[in-house]
Amino acid sequence: MTLTLKISALTKTFAGVKALDAVSLDIAPGQRVALLGHNGAGKSTMMKIILGLIPYDSGTVEVCGGRPGAPAARAQVAYLPENAAFHPALTGQEQIAHYLSLRGESPKLAMDLLERVGLHAAARRRIGTYSKGMRQRVGLAQALIGKPRLLVLDEPTSGLDPVSRRDFYALLDGLAAEGASILLSSHALTEVEARTDRILILSGGRMVAMGTLADLRRTAALPVAMQVTARNGYISELAAALPGAIRVEGDLRLTCAQDEKLPILARIAGFGDKVADIEVVPPSLEDIYSHFSRRDGQ
Amino acid sequence: MTRILATARSEFRISLRNRWVAIAVVLMGLFALVLSAAGSAPTGELGVDRLSVTVASLTSLTVYLVPLLALLMSFDAVAGEVERGTLPLLLTYPVARVEILLGKFLAHLTVLAIAVAVGFALAAAAAFRSDAGSVEGLPALWRLGWSSILLGATFLGAGYALSSLARRPSGAAGLAMGLWLGAVVLYDLGLLAAVVANGDGWFTTTAFPFALLANPADAFRLYNLAASQATSAAAGIAGAANAIPIWQSAASVLVWPVLALALATAAFRKVTP
């Protein structure tokens, strides 16, 4: 199986500052990869290099088997820019028809595409009258043109409401199932959870983490929080057995490292009926994300 | 070719909605009619037909108005896309930069051609109404028509080049106005001053004809005045028109659009989104 995207040791410097520092990444057909990072972490720079819009300093980048930005690569790659913008004097339908022609497809398909992103009702209105979310949908519609092999989506869900966001990911699932590779960027880990196969975190131009959500959880090894509710009268007995636990309004709260989690649970289970309830809170996605992206003292 | 035509179609639609088509047509029509009315006085005395006189006046009008319209339409072509943020997406499409420019060029040139056709047709109609012998002036009008469109093509190309260099619409507008003022107004004044200062020296005899040919606006004027029977009806550089062979001014009129488009393409290739 040939890789859709192959990047190794990619480095890009802007005026002496390293925007990307030896970043490597492979994406196979059908894979969905999320690129996370703060503003200025290098997400957009990396995407623009993959699209062939800006040159890079060193390393290798291979897009669909060719040079980024080469006509063959451009024919197979779709892009959704951050804050997608279009000419305000054209209607959604005219704009998509234009993009279809540029990709050598029939402009008559415009309505179908707009229907797929739920914009058919406004298709004959000028884009100047659209809201940010509607413009984002026009951007998404143009990214669907002509079965691209790689979709590069720069913060695709910004400006979308939660329902549209879910529709959007459903659309991506369908594309990935048909073999398209997807690289999307986002600010928030919560947003890409369970919707991507792999997560990649950039910080200050360096790749600080890569893997599935479970991998990241394991590597971060953040403490687990527990909340134990004792039956009436037994709280002191429980507290004595769980060093480090704090009493909060009749409950016991404690945190422990990942590898201590099971022994502690076993000990609590040993109390049998004396325990009314127990809740285990794994580290949140936000916690994991900040753990990685703050490693460089940011 | 489909990509060029698709771009042209979208751009023409944008020109229609931005009222550029209306503005260009109304301006050209209005000026042509005003000139026809104002030029009615000397008819008959010069021994030439009415339309030939109108053509001479139209030449002077066109040399100012067509470059102005062309620059006004073209200065935004690249800088506007940069400012709206539409350029990065466009450049990820499998379309060459030269195809994007040619598409815009085709649309803008169509707008100019419509404006020129309407303006000149009005002027011709006015001439025919008062002088049936105007048919003699038709070849000159035809020549003025296509050379006006080529003049427009040159300044469209120059506008795209400036738009690519400036990368911001405000900067591009300033450069475009500077070019118009320089090429159409100040260039002739400078040459005139040099000729006066130089007398019958080297500049006047050797450099001056080339200086005229090097400026697309002057070459356009030379070509139309030299080719037209109405040379005697026009003032200004008409004398020089007789001194320079017509093929030279024709060559300048023909070569400039190609040169300007090549410059525009080179400048556009340097734009990093």
Side-chain angles (χ1 to χ4, degrees):
Chain A
M1 195 161 54
T2 50
L3 291 170
T4 316
L5 178 67
K6 218 165 131 182
I7 297 177
S8 70
L10 174 64
T11 301
K12 168 78 184 171
T13 312
F14 284 118
V17 180
K18 277 196 173 161
L20 289 174
D21 189 0
V23 175
S24 299
L25 165 72
D26 288 343
I27 305 185
Q31 266 189 343
R32 296 159 302 171
V33 176
L35 196 56
L36 299 185
H38 296 304
N39 289 326
K43 303 186 302 276
S44 291
T45 304
M46 186 162 157
M47 290 187 156
K48 284 185 171 174
I49 289 174
I50 293 169
L51 294 160
L53 290 175
I54 53 174
Y56 51 97
D57 300 332
S58 64
T60 56
V61 181
E62 211 178 274
V63 181
C64 300
R67 183 176 56 83
R74 279 194 279 169
Q76 302 183 68
V77 178
Y79 174 46
L80 171 60
E82 189 184 355
N83 302 322
F86 306 95
H87 201 291
L90 294 177
T91 68
Q93 190 186 10
E94 288 161 353
Q95 182 70 76
I96 294 297
H98 179 209
Y99 284 132
L100 278 161
S101 307
L102 290 184
R103 285 212 185 272
E105 304 264 334
S106 164
K108 293 196 183 82
L109 300 171
M111 266 312 200
D112 294 345
L113 280 168
L114 288 169
E115 199 152 351
R116 269 178 86 182
V117 296
L119 209 59
H120 51 286
R124 290 181 211 283
R125 267 169 47 201
R126 293 192 190 182
I127 296 179
T129 66
Y130 284 13
S131 68
K132 185 174 187 291
M134 290 164 87
R135 281 201 305 273
Q136 199 72 13
R137 284 157 190 261
V138 177
L140 184 61
Q142 64 80 30
L144 301 175
I145 294 172
K147 281 205 167 222
R149 276 183 65 197
L150 172 66
L151 285 102
V152 179
L153 313 170
D154 200 350
E155 302 193 12
T157 51
S158 70
L160 293 185
D161 57 76
V163 176
S164 325
R165 193 171 287 180
R166 199 192 300 161
D167 294 344
F168 165 77
Y169 277 111
L171 210 67
L172 286 196
D173 291 345
L175 291 169
E178 287 169 23
S181 306
I182 294 158
L183 177 67
L184 64 92
S185 71
S186 177
H187 280 304
L189 192 50
T190 36
E191 207 182 83
V192 298
E193 171 205 19
R195 290 299 201 166
T196 49
D197 304 308
R198 217 154 17 123
I199 293 162
L200 201 149
I201 301 179
L202 281 177
S203 174
R206 296 196 312 111
M207 197 182 333
V208 290
M210 173 153 73
T212 60
L213 190 58
D215 292 339
L216 296 190
R217 221 183 263 279
R218 213 174 307 119
T219 336
L222 292 178
V224 182
M226 283 184 216
Q227 187 170 326
V228 186
T229 313
R231 283 213 190 281
N232 277 340
Y234 292 109
I235 189 156
S236 306
E237 196 181 325
L238 266 166
L242 298 169
I246 338 162
R247 255 191 227 206
V248 182
E249 293 178 14
D251 287 338
L252 286 171
R253 291 198 183 163
L254 67 152
T255 54
C256 67
Q258 287 283 352
D259 51 356
E260 293 172 348
K261 182 172 73 180
L262 288 176
I264 290 182
L265 279 176
R267 206 181 315 155
I268 296 170
F271 282 92
D273 275 354
K274 296 173 187 170
V275 180
D277 193 16
I278 176 162
E279 200 150 356
V280 180
V281 188
S284 76
L285 297 168
E286 252 85 23
D287 293 339
I288 298 173
Y289 175 54
S290 7
H291 167 80
F292 285 110
S293 56
R294 277 193 199 138
R295 209 188 251 168
D296 289 340
Q298 284 190 19
Chain B
M1 199 61 203
T2 9
R3 293 190 287 261
I4 298 177
L5 287 178
T7 308
R9 204 173 317 125
S10 282
E11 287 293 330
F12 187 76
R13 198 170 267 146
I14 291 169
S15 295
L16 267 178
R17 301 212 174 131
N18 286 350
R19 311 270 188 279
W20 266 120
V21 179
I23 291 169
V25 168
V26 167
L27 265 183
M28 277 305 286
L30 214 60
F31 275 89
L33 282 180
V34 167
L35 275 187
S36 305
S40 56
T43 325
E45 291 162 34
L46 291 158
V48 286
D49 66 282
R50 181 66 192 281
L51 185 57
S52 295
V53 177
T54 304
V55 165
S57 320
L58 280 178
T59 307
S60 313
L61 157 83
T62 309
V63 84
Y64 289 103
L65 203 54
V66 165
L68 185 67
L69 283 174
L71 286 169
L72 284 177
M73 279 194 286
S74 59
F75 82 86
D76 194 49
V78 176
E81 298 257 10
V82 172
E83 180 162 277
R84 278 193 302 276
T86 48
L87 192 61
L89 179 60
L90 184 59
L91 293 181
T92 63
Y93 270 76
V95 51
R97 293 195 185 200
V98 63
E99 291 175 321
I100 298 174
L101 273 192
L102 284 177
K104 288 176 182 277
F105 175 74
L106 208 59
H108 293 153
L109 198 63
T110 308
V111 176
L112 267 183
I114 293 172
V116 165
V118 169
F120 290 5
L122 284 174
F128 272 102
R129 255 187 61 168
S130 60
D131 178 6
S134 286
V135 70
E136 276 178 51
L138 277 180
L141 185 70
W142 171 248
R143 194 163 41 235
L144 182 68
W146 65 256
S147 58
S148 298
I149 293 168
L150 285 180
L151 178 70
T154 300
F155 279 89
L156 282 175
Y160 301 146
L162 295 178
S163 190
S164 306
L165 289 175
R167 281 162 216 200
R168 283 211 332 274
S170 53
L175 287 177
M177 286 306 98
L179 176 70
W180 182 78
L181 209 61
V184 179
V185 183
L186 298 178
Y187 193 83
D188 288 357
L189 284 179
L191 284 189
L192 190 65
V195 167
V196 168
N198 193 244
D200 276 337
W202 172 84
F203 181 82
T204 309
T205 53
T206 314
F208 180 60
F210 288 103
L212 282 179
L213 288 174
N215 183 334
D218 282 333
F220 165 83
R221 210 169 352 203
L222 278 181
Y223 172 67
N224 279 292
L225 293 183
S228 161
Q229 292 298 311
T231 316
S232 52
I237 58 168
N242 294 324
I244 296 171
I246 191 161
W247 70 266
Q248 287 184 1
S249 52
S252 179
V253 167
L254 289 170
V255 166
W256 261 111
V258 180
L259 204 65
L261 271 181
L263 273 176
T265 310
F268 187 32
R269 286 217 170 103
K270 290 221 181 319
V271 176
T272 318

